[in-house]
């Protein structure tokens, strides 16, 4: 039953990693890792194997880097803008997985397309971003408000160098360091103004990485493997290290180092500049990562160096990590370091227990921090986090029915991998030397067919390997697939589909019909139908019972990429480059529906025929509703951002697997498959059986038996050794116990003595405390009395001030009343003047009041300060005595603790003794090995000394030999001088002879050239004679043809005359005459009309072919003549060009003559009435009369023509004989001068002779009837 909506799918697991993004992996928690993959950001819980996804708004937009905030709550995506647009930074909330803010460049005149680097400040409130070229501007964002608080130029003031990194201070949000090749700037912002301070002279240093080691120290690395330090804005010249060799970093100040002298680390580099570093193989220092317990960086081929912090000024190398053989087990058989394993990013988990790295491979690697020390294990290998991924393109995908597994093959890594989508792991990996083009997994999961570059192999899937069972001679097989039930499999061999039996391996059918590349094969559920499609636009349906093609659809405007057949094989769904779904059935396209507006790549149909999944475009997966209606109803889901090259559905229709070009794999879960998925048996369960070869099984059984025997022997041996060790240890324990008992008695006596002393000390301390307490009480009473007196005096002063204030208030009030009474009348008259004075008096009163309040507050402040001082002194004195009392109590407790510690130390000392004994035994063994090495080295030294003495003797012999050779050399130089003198004399004699030889050679060359010219001329004449003979033969053929034609026409005219004569008997009977004329008309016009017209056309075609053959022969002769005469003189070329022009003229004349001849033939037929369908009787009589009257004239014309033809033949024969005679004469002549004249004469005469037949043809035509 059809459902109302298309099926929904949700991504469950997404395997992959985008290596084109910087800082592409971060720890959110100890178990959650965030990294980009495909078109999403993956949050992967590697412990629970669960994932969450942040879907990007535009999955195809390039991303420069991923930056995680220090509080691990915000994630910033540095996105690269398109041409003409501004770059943006998108910030996501990692608690809600939604976009929080979008930041961009606030200025319109910015031309940068990307931010070169982005970094959060330590409090995660601000974000520092620097644009790329050509701007190189620093922007300081308050990102939560979405505004730029300040900005500045980030590049060097000189314009030299580029910016690659910005690092924010771990405790100051206003301080950053900007680094890059030939760039180092420490910048500080104050009130929106950025200023540079400290050391910045990095014009000759290519800086590759940088970090804040502490809040006042900056450590950076260079491309030549040097680590430098900047402290408080100054470059530390005594802190320059070689990154690959340094094992200890001491960053104390210069004066401290000078005072310590020899105590500083011997491994630190004391060079004052990078030029003084010892020349070794240089690797750049990259990816500094700082954490509380130390720091790490990458330097060398796949190496990560980790330093542990021992003190604020001292770090020591603890471990060295590398992608080693263990990490290569899933990538190649013979590990060698590859540029693909160059480290791209380093990150540390929040608990500082795990270090995670990424490389150019699409794989995460991790290692546990603070494990074994490098003294125990010099190199610790990285482990792969999650399943081992393909690197390079995945070119094939196949799903199993009986087991929850699927198989993939890698094009670049040449590997086959079997994945389990229930456990989310890789079960088996197999590497090969040959290229792999396709794979197909048997429904049982126990067999597979793999298409290699040389052969197609049928393989058995064992427990940990693939074993080849049968090989088929099919090279570069791009498509192969098992049938639904597994008893057959089809493989593409070029443009042929070969079907084999999985049991007998016989070639059952060879299916031929495609003339393009075959892109897909699909079996029906009952295996009775096989559907194939190709790039030529054809979809073929094959009957597997007979091997015949039973259906086809060809659409040349489309290239089909994939097809899927339903369970009964009667309906096929196809997709191709036109972006439409085609439902094919009964040799027709039933429906043709558009989907996503771009090319579609793959298709898969569920076993229930109710769910259809299609991929297309850049990584989209569409779930289409079935059955198809007039308009496609679908849901589109996006995870990949590259083209999906394979898609498969599990046997229970619950899991969908898709793989893309970037080697990413997505496992989808069907969320609303109820009613759509096939109904499985309740007892259905996936198979867990595996195959193992008998040989391997026997080896494993033998190894188990051997190990069991060995185990029993070891148990017996261990029991015996344990008994002996127990007896030995019992004796030692007895001795140690006696010693411990004695030591315990001594310690008890000491403890009692110390307790007595401690009791006496406590008594003395208590007496002192009593004395101090009484003295303190007396002092306190004196202070109380003193302060009471002071308080009384201050209180009296306060009372007097209050009385004074009251008196002043009363005085002023009285004065005001008096003034009011005495001058009330004046106030009424001068109200304005006295209002001002009244205001002044009010202000004065307020001031006095304020003064009184101020004095009161001062008094209270003095009082409170005196009280506080007294209380503080009391508290300090009390605290001091209480501290002394507490110290005494602590000392008592400490002494008791030390007693317990002594007991524990006694126990630990015994353990250390045992460890030291074990170490001594190990050291003795090492000492023996070193003695053996020393003895071998001493023997080598003796041998080398002996060899040196022998070589000294050899050197002396060689020096003697050299002396003798030098003496012989002097004698040979004398002899050489004599020989040089003789050589000069002989040269003087040879020169005139050589001149004579050269002159003779020139004469010989001239004679050879003349001979070649004569031979070429002779060959040209032979060719011309052959051509003339051919012309004569063609003229004879034309004459015979015309004679036959003339005879045919005469016979026809004779028959017409006889019929006309017979018709004259019916002149008196019009009816009979009409019938006879009609019969005559039907005999010579209607019956002969078609034949004559057909004969005329055939004759014209034969004439054209004859002329064409004749001209082609002439042209071939001319080409041969031209090819042979290329080396001749210019005169010969001119002759050939003239002859060619003459021939072209002849061709044009012949064409004109042919055209005119056809026109005259048509006129002749019209005159005779042979081409007309209906002619009136009067017109017929007139034509017959005209024909009978001109009979004699026509006979005369034909006779005259025959005579002219005979004359032409005679003339041609004479010309031929004359030319042959001239050729014979030329053979006898010694020079070629007469030859040129004769050749010119024959060339000028031949066109006249050849034009004669054309003139005869004109004469042959009958006169115009008009």
């Amino acid at each position: 039953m059809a459902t109302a909506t298309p099926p929904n799918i949700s991504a469950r697991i997404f395997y992959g990693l985008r290596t084109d993004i910087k800082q592409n992996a971060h720890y959110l928690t100890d178990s959650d890792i965030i990294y980009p993959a495909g078109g999403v950001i993956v949050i992967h819980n590697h412990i629970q194997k669960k994932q969450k996804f942040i879907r990007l708004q535009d999955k195809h937009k390039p991303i420069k880097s991923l930056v995680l905030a220090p509080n691990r709550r915000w994630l910033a995506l540095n996105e690269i803008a398109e041409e003409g647009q501004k770059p943006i930074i998108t910030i996501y909330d990692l608690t809600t997985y939604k976009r929080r803010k979008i930041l961009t460049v606030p200025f319109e005149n910015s031309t940068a397309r990307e931010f070169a680097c982005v970094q959060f400040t330590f409090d995660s409130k601000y974000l520092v971003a620097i644009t790329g070229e050509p701007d190189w501007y620093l922007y300081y964002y308050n990102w939560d408000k979405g505004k730029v608080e300040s900005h500045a130029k980030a590049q060097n003031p000189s314009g030299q160098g580029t910016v690659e990194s910005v690092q924010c201070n771990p405790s100051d949000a206003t301080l950053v360091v900007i680094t890059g090749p030939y760039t180092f700037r420490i910048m500080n912002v104050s009130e929106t103004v950025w200023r540079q301070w400290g050391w910045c002279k990095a014009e000759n240093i290519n800086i590759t990485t940088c970090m804040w080691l502490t809040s006042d120290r900056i450590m950076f690395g260079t491309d030549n493997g040097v680590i430098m330090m900047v402290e408080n804005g100054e470059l530390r010249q005594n802190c320059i290290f070689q990154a690959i060799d340094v094992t200890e970093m001491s960053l104390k100040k210069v004066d401290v180092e000078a005072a310590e002298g020899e105590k500083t680390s011997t491994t630190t580099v004391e060079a004052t500049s990078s030029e003084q570093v010892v020349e070794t193989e240089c690797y750049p220092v990259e990816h500094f990562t700082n954490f509380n317990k130390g720091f790490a960086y990458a330097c060398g081929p796949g190496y990560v160096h980790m330093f542990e912090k021992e003190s604020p000024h001292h770090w020591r190398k603890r471990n060295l990590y590398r992608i080693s053989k263990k990490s290569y087990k899933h990538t190649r058989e013979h590990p060698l370091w590859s540029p693909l394993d160059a480290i791209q990013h380093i990150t540390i988990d929040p608990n500082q227990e795990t270090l995670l790295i990424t490389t150019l491979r699409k794989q995460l690697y991790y290692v546990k921090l603070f494990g074994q020390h490098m003294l125990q294990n010099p190199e610790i290998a990285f482990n792969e986090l999650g399943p081992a991924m393909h690197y390079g393109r995945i070119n094939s995908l196949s799903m199993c029915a009986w087991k929850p597994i699927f198989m993939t093959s890698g094009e670049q890594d040449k590997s086959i991998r079997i994945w389990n989508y229930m456990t989310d792991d890789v079960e088996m990996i197999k590497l090969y030397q040959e290229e792999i083009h396709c794979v197909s997994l048997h429904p049982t999961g126990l067999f597979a067919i793999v298409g290699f570059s040389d052969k197609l192999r049928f393989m058995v899937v064992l427990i940990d390997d693939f074993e080849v069972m049968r090989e088929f001679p099919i090279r570069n097989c791009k498509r192969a697939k098992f049938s639904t039930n597994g008893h057959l499999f089809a493989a593409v061999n070029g443009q042929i589909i070969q079907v084999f039996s999985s049991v007998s391996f016989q070639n059952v059918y060879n299916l031929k019909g495609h003339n393009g590349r075959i892109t897909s094969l699909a079996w029906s559920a009952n295996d009775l139908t096989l559907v194939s499609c190709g790039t030529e636009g054809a979809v073929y349906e094959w009957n597997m019972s007979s091997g015949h093609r039973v259906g086809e659809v060809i659409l040349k405007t489309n290239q089909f990429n994939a097809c899927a057949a339903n369970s009964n094989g009667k309906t096929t769904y196809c997709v191709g480059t036109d972006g439409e779904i085609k439902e094919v059935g009964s040799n027709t396209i039933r429906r043709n529906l558009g989907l996503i507006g771009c090319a579609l790549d793959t298709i898969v149909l569920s076993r229930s025929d109710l769910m259809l999944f299609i991929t297309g475009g850049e990584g989209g997966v569409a779930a289409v509703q079935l059955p198809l209606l007039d308009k496609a109803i679908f849901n589109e889901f996006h995870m990949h951002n590259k083209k999906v090259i394979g898609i498969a559905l599990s046997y229970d229709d619950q899991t969908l697997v898709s793989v893309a070009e970037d080697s990413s794999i997505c496992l989808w879960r069907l969320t609303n498959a109820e009613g759509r998925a096939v109904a499985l048996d309740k007892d259905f369960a996936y198979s867990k059986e595996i195959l193992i070869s008998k040989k391997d099984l026997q080896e494993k059984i033998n190894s188990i038996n051997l190990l069991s025997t060995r185990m029993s022997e070891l148990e017996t041996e261990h029991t015996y050794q344990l008994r002996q060790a127990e007896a030995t240890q019992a004796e030692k324990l007895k001795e140690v116990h006696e010693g411990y008992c004695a030591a315990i008695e001594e310690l008890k006596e000491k403890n009692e003595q110390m307790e007595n002393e401690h009791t006496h000390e406590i008594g003395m301390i208590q007496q002192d405390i009593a004395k101090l307490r009484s003295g303190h009480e007396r002092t306190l009473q004196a202070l109380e009395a003193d302060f009471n007196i002071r308080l009384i005096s201050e209180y009296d002063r306060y009372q007097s001030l209050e009385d004074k204030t009251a008196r002043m208030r009363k005085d002023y009030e009285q004065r005001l009343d008096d003034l009011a009474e005495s001058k009330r009348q004046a106030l009424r008259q001068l109200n304005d003047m006295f209002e001002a004075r009244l205001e002044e008096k009010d202000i004065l009163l307020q001031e006095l009041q304020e003064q009184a309040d101020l004095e009161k507050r001062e008094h209270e402040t003095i009082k409170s300060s005196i009280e506080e001082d007294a209380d503080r002194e009391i508290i300090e004195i009390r605290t001091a005595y209480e501290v002394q009392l507490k110290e005494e109590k602590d000392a008592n407790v400490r002494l008791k603790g030390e007693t317990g510690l002594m007991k524990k130390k006694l126990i630990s000392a015994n353990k250390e003794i045992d460890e030291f004994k074990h170490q001594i035994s190990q050291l003795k063994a090492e000492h023996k090995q070193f003695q053996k090495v020393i003895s071998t080295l001493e023997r080598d030294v003796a041998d080398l000394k002996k060899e040196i003495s022998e070589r000294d003797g050899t050197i002396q012999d060689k020096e003697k030999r050299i002396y003798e050779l030098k003496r012989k050399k002097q004698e040979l130089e004398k002899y050489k001088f004599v020989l040089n003198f003789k050589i000069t004399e002989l040269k003087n004699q040879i020169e005139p002879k050589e001149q004579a030889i050269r002159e003779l050679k020139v004469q010989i060359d001239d004679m050879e050239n003349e001979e070649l010219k004569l031979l070429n001329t002779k060959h040209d004449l032979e060719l011309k004679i052959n051509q003339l003979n051919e012309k004569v033969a063609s003229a004879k053929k034309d004459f015979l043809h015309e004679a036959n034609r003339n005879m045919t026409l005469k016979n026809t005219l004779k028959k017409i005359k006889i019929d006309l004569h017979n018709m004259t008997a019916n002149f008196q009977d019009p009816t009979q005459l009409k019938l006879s004329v009609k019969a005559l008309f039907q005999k010579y016009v209607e019956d002969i009309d078609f034949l004559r017209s057909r004969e005329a056309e055939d004759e014209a075609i034969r004439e054209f072919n004859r002329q064409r053959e004749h001209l082609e022969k002439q042209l071939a002769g001319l080409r041969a003549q031209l090819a042979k005469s290329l080396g001749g003189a210019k005169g010969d070329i001119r002759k050939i060009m003239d002859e060619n022009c003459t021939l072209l003229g002849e061709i044009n004349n012949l064409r004109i003559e042919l055209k005119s001849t056809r026109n005259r033939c048509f006129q002749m037929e019209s005159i005779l009435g042979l081409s007309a369908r209906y002619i009136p009787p009067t017109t017929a009589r007139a034509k017959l009369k005209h024909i009978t009257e001109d009979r004699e004239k026509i006979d005369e014309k034909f006779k005259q023509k025959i005579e002219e033809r005979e004359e032409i033949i005679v003339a041609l024969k004479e010309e031929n004989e004359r030319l042959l005679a001239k050729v014979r004469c030329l053979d006898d002549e010694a020079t070629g001068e007469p030859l040129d004249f004769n050749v010119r004469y024959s060339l000028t005469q031949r066109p006249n002779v050849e034009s004669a037949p054309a003139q005869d043809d004109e004469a042959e035509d009958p006169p115009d009837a008009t």
Side-chain angles (χ1 to χ4, degrees), residues 33-47:
I33 301 170
I34 185 168
Y35 57 88
V40 297
I41 303 296
V42 181
I43 301 172
H44 178 65
N45 189 317
H46 62 90
I47 297 175

Side-chain angles (χ1 to χ4, degrees), residues 1193-1217:
K1193 294 180 180 180
I1194 292 170
D1195 291 338
E1196 290 176 359
K1197 287 286 184 182
F1198 276 103
K1199 287 179 182 179
Q1200 187 178 1
K1201 181 181 176 182
I1202 290 167
E1203 290 174 356
E1204 289 175 356
R1205 289 292 178 90
E1206 288 175 353
E1207 290 175 358
I1208 290 167
I1209 290 167
V1210 172
L1212 288 170
K1213 286 180 180 180
E1214 291 176 356
E1215 180 69 12
N1216 195 9
E1217 290 175 358

Side-chain angles (χ1 to χ4, degrees), residues 18-24 36-41 56-67 76-81 88 90 92 114-115 641:
R18 290 181 62 175
T19 58
D20 58 337
I21 299 176
K22 294 182 179 179
Q23 304 175 22
N24 55 353
V40 297
I41 303 296
L56 304 178
Q57 296 293 326
D58 186 359
K59 65 178 183 177
H60 302 299
K61 194 169 186 178
I63 299 173
K64 176 83 171 180
S65 60
L66 240 66
V67 181
L77 265 67
N78 180 9
E79 301 180 8
I80 302 173
I88 63 173
T90 307
Y92 288 89
E114 65 179 11
F115 288 102
N641 66 339

